[in-house]
Amino acid sequence: DSASNAFSFKGIRDYLDCYRSGKLTPSQVAKNIIAMLEDCDKSTPPLRAIVQWDKEQIMLMAEASTARYRNKCTLSYLDGIPVCLKEEFKVVPYHHRVGTVYLGTEPETEDATVAKKLREAGAIIIGVSNMHELGTGTTGCNPNRYHKIPRNPYKPNHFTGGSSSGSAAAVAAGLCPVAIGTDGGGSVRIPASFCGVVGLKGTFGRISSHGSLPLSYSTVSVGPLCTSVADAAIVYSILAEPDPLYPYGLKQPKATLSGMCAPDLKGLKLGVDWTFFKACDAEVLSVCEKAVEHLQSLGASVVEVSLPEMEEVRVAHVICILSEMRDFLQPDFNKHFHEMNLDTRANLALASQFTALDYITANRQRTRSMRFLREIFTTVNCILTPAVASTAPRIYESDLLTGSSNLSFTVRCMRFMQLANFTGIPGLVVPIGYSTSGLPIGFQVMAKWWDEAVLLRIGLKLEQFRYQTKKPSIYYDILA
């Protein structure tokens, strides 16, 4: 509804309208972005969303797109759309540092699959985004010299969430309408919730993670962070398909968006485990309960379900993700220990205490939990929860120097996230409101394996629940 004077984020459609009407070209947009990237590095405090970018690279892609619009031969809905990718992905010609000071000493010469697909779709890759070192945390706090602390565009003295911290900040600050992240324990959905944007974690294996650092091979999924559910659907439809270089996703059913634009939610059964649902801050709970009522008012029925053994899921997920990271990072831990942030060292040291028996037991729990979910999904279409139990935490002076480690906060942050990572089901986070202090609050929908279409259908309706979108305090209007 562009008739109102209220703030709304600029999404893919706004860019396409500008290009098709001739109001702006991708080259003009790219020049604006370069000016904004220079500006946000100089601001106090610096935004630190995009940590590597290259003027010439941006302009090359933009000029190619401008020519395609002129000749009316565009490649996809992403042609000319600015995007960024988390530093966990290989993107030519940037350094594949993965949030560290010691990896990626040489520029990359080969793209990750998602970077390649975005280029083939005509997108303008504006750079690689900041991340929590080696994806080991939920705040996004990374004090090392290449990265520094990315700021939450809604409140710059608050964290963005992690580990896809820069991706969420870049989208919320208007630098690009689309960013790509990875999610092994909420790493797309937590920053999406904290920064007031949409985050989709696909089914495990749905989007190829070939060319990203294989930190945890059994829990990590790739997904987009966007300003709207419709945009997430567009990006999903372009990225979701089997990749011969990524064996985990070879046997997937065809990705579909069928029924996504249904006028209502009639016939859908939404599962809620109220005891689990209510373990969050009062402010978060009150908005999330109203969002459930909103979905009911559109014809969906709410069914009480019981999510069994959630404490076992929590512990088993931590054992799986940390054991796999510790296994992969064994040489780094031995050789680069003193170059790692303190919280990374602590997490990897904790991980080294797990035994083979712990890992095997955790994976037996995974089989049990997947069986429970299979039964639950015979009675409901999806499971609803708040996204994160609280809003984004404050950044303290000491965090800027030494980083931050708060295990009880991390546990709360990941509370509603771990089930989807552990069992591989997809999850979508949609912003639904704000706390009294103006920080975003998010809501999560999870569905059965490969059923992203139902998440997007419900997500579109959740967006209507938010009666206003507040403008972030750091916001760049690239199309102005």
Side-chain angles (χ1 to χ4, degrees):
D1 177 12
S2 50
S4 70
N5 301 325
F7 170 78
S8 65
F9 284 109
K10 299 290 193 283
I12 291 173
R13 185 175 175 169
D14 300 292
Y15 281 83
L16 295 181
D17 286 348
C18 281
Y19 297 157
R20 287 165 180 169
S21 67
K23 189 180 144 197
L24 283 172
T25 65
S27 297
Q28 288 166 310
V29 162
K31 284 179 184 143
N32 292 352
I33 290 170
I34 290 163
M36 308 301 184
L37 287 169
E38 283 166 352
D39 181 74
C40 63
D41 276 351
K42 292 188 194 115
S43 62
T44 316
L47 179 64
R48 299 308 293 157
I50 307 291
V51 287
Q52 298 180 60
W53 56 278
D54 181 299
K55 210 171 176 165
E56 280 174 32
Q57 290 289 324
I58 297 170
M59 287 312 300
L60 273 174
M61 285 180 265
E63 280 156 12
S65 178
T66 301
R68 289 191 294 271
Y69 274 96
R70 200 183 314 123
N71 300 324
K72 299 199 165 31
C73 61
T74 51
L75 300 169
S76 78
Y77 284 129
L78 290 184
D79 208 325
I81 304 299
V83 303
C84 68
L85 291 97
K86 185 181 186 176
E87 202 182 55
E88 201 170 313
F89 293 99
K90 293 180 178 181
V91 183
V92 179
Y94 302 109
H95 295 266
H96 189 216
R97 291 193 180 114
V98 201
T100 70
V101 293
Y102 65 85
L103 285 172
T105 49
E106 294 298 316
E108 276 311 308
T109 54
E110 208 175 322
D111 277 328
T113 297
V114 284
K116 191 163 153 284
K117 287 181 86 80
L118 289 167
R119 281 190 214 274
E120 287 164 357
I124 303 172
I125 297 174
I126 66 165
V128 293
S129 48
N130 206 340
M131 65 178 284
H132 203 106
E133 186 179 60
L134 294 168
T136 55
T138 56
T139 55
C141 183
N142 188 349
N144 80 43
R145 66 178 182 270
Y146 290 134
H147 298 86
K148 299 286 179 248
I149 317 292
R151 303 297 180 138
N152 190 319
Y154 274 95
K155 286 213 156 185
N157 58 344
H158 285 250
F159 282 119
T160 53
S163 63
S164 308
S165 49
S167 296
V171 171
L175 291 172
C176 51
V178 173
I180 307 298
T182 59
D183 189 316
S187 284
V188 160
R189 292 162 294 151
I190 293 167
S193 180
F194 282 173
C195 293
V197 298
V198 172
L200 172 66
K201 178 201 96 69
T203 304
F204 177 76
R206 178 60 109 179
I207 297 174
S208 171
S209 66
H210 173 76
S212 69
L213 201 70
L215 292 164
S216 164
Y217 51 83
S218 78
T219 66
V220 173
S221 294
V222 177
L225 295 99
C226 300
T227 53
S228 71
V229 173
D231 285 4
I234 289 171
V235 180
Y236 166 76
S237 67
I238 286 172
L239 297 181
E241 65 175 357
D243 170 13
L245 299 170
Y246 182 65
Y248 298 121
L250 288 177
K251 291 274 189 279
Q252 60 177 280
K254 194 164 168 46
T256 152
L257 299 176
S258 66
M260 176 180 146
C261 298
D264 53 37
L265 298 177
K266 285 190 180 122
L268 286 186
K269 295 189 169 111
L270 317 177
V272 181
D273 178 332
W274 286 109
T275 314
F276 184 61
F277 190 101
K278 287 178 176 172
C280 57
D281 290 357
E283 243 184 333
V284 172
L285 179 61
S286 124
V287 181
C288 287
E289 285 180 328
K290 291 192 185 95
V292 175
E293 287 166 19
H294 166 73
L295 296 175
Q296 261 179 304
S297 74
L298 292 166
S301 52
V302 172
V303 179
E304 276 205 50
V305 295
S306 163
L307 296 172
E309 301 178 7
M310 287 311 291
E311 183 56 21
E312 287 81 348
V313 165
R314 185 179 74 76
V315 175
H317 167 265
V318 168
I319 290 170
C320 284
I321 190 169
L322 281 181
S323 297
E324 289 169 8
M325 282 182 160
R326 183 72 172 84
D327 165 53
F328 180 72
L329 296 168
Q330 179 75 27
D332 302 49
F333 191 69
N334 294 341
K335 199 171 157 197
H336 298 284
F337 182 81
H338 293 291
E339 294 169 89
M340 290 175 171
N341 291 335
L342 295 173
D343 70 311
T344 309
R345 295 185 213 176
N347 283 323
L348 291 174
L350 167 69
S352 66
Q353 301 306 303
F354 298 136
T355 63
L357 189 61
D358 293 329
Y359 186 71
I360 290 164
T361 310
N363 274 292
R364 286 188 176 141
Q365 179 63 44
R366 189 189 320 243
T367 309
R368 280 176 71 82
S369 298
M370 288 171 82
R371 195 172 72 236
F372 294 143
L373 281 180
R374 201 167 276 131
E375 283 166 23
I376 289 168
F377 284 127
T378 60
T379 58
V380 297
N381 300 90
C382 63
I383 295 165
L384 308 179
T385 69
V388 187
S390 61
T391 52
R394 234 198 109 105
I395 298 172
Y396 292 99
E397 280 303 306
S398 62
D399 300 336
L400 304 175
L401 302 169
T402 52
S404 151
S405 179
N406 179 340
L407 281 179
S408 66
F409 172 74
T410 302
V411 167
R412 285 200 81 207
C413 240
M414 290 165 61
R415 175 182 172 83
F416 300 116
M417 299 286 141
Q418 292 171 287
L419 182 64
N421 291 115
F422 189 51
T423 61
I425 59 173
L428 176 75
V429 161
V430 179
I432 54 166
Y434 305 88
S435 67
T436 45
S437 65
L439 284 162
I441 291 170
F443 189 89
Q444 177 175 238
V445 192
M446 295 177 280
K448 69 176 182 292
W449 301 271
W450 317 113
D451 200 4
E452 286 86 349
V454 78
L455 294 185
L456 296 161
R457 175 180 171 187
I458 295 164
L460 284 174
K461 298 293 181 258
L462 268 175
E463 281 181 317
Q464 299 167 1
F465 167 74
R466 191 175 73 238
Y467 66 95
Q468 68 170 138
T469 302
K470 288 191 172 160
K471 186 178 178 177
S473 61
I474 300 175
Y475 184 73
Y476 296 96
D477 190 345
I478 303 291
L479 299 178

